[in-house]
Amino acid sequence: MAGRPDDHCTRCGACCAAFRVDFHHSELESRAPGGIPDRLTVSVTATLVRMRGTDAAPPRCVALAGEIGSAVRCTLYASRPSPCRDFAPYAALGIGEDGCDRARVRHGLAPLGG
Ligand code: SF4
Ligand code: SF4
């Protein structure tokens, strides 16, 4: 997901505006210093939270800055939640996978390929 400067993800951002991003509340700033600011999330269950905006219609994570398919930036990049860290780990290098491809196609972008 929206990553380091000058990689494929910083010219994309599609997955940050395609899927719900849910994670355990232990990643919140209120529970772990340097974590995700609580105000950027909504509660899903007693232990699960969701990045605000990722279940909107259309979805777009509140932490995403910029224009999808052109130039984007995750404003939380250093402390982004675990699903974002784990998503399509080689996409920044131009190697996609199913979820990445689906998100890109949804936004009118060509799949990265492999
Ligand atoms: S959809 Fe793929 S290429 Fe686009 S930001 Fe997400 S992981 Fe990167
Ligand atoms: S936290 Fe950052 S990487 Fe994760 S969905 Fe939001 S903008 Fe994308």
Side-chain angles (χ1 to χ4, degrees), residues 1-2 8-9 12-15 87-88 91 100 103-104 112:
M1 294 193 166
H8 285 79
C9 292
C12 177
C15 57
F87 188 86
C100 170
R104 287 179 61 90
L112 286 182

Side-chain angles (χ1 to χ4, degrees), residues 44-101:
V44 179
T45 70
T47 56
L48 203 63
V49 294
R50 177 172 294 158
M51 285 306 298
R52 202 176 277 279
T54 62
D55 58 3
R60 179 176 170 126
C61 179
V62 69
L64 185 68
E67 186 181 339
I68 293 167
S70 176
V72 294
R73 181 172 67 90
C74 172
T75 57
L76 293 180
Y77 188 71
S79 59
R80 65 200 186 287
S82 51
C84 306
R85 294 177 184 275
D86 296 342
F87 188 86
Y90 300 113
L93 305 174
I95 302 169
E97 57 181 56
D98 274 1
C100 170
D101 290 350

Side-chain angles (χ1 to χ4, degrees), residues 22-28 31 36 46-49 81-83:
D22 295 353
F23 54 96
H24 193 257
H25 64 176
S26 60
E27 297 184 47
L28 290 174
R31 292 171 180 269
I36 295 106
T47 56
L48 203 63
V49 294
S82 51

Side-chain angles (χ1 to χ4, degrees), residues 26-42:
S26 60
E27 297 184 47
L28 290 174
E29 190 174 46
S30 58
R31 292 171 180 269
I36 295 106
D38 296 46
R39 70 180 186 283
L40 301 184
T41 69
V42 293

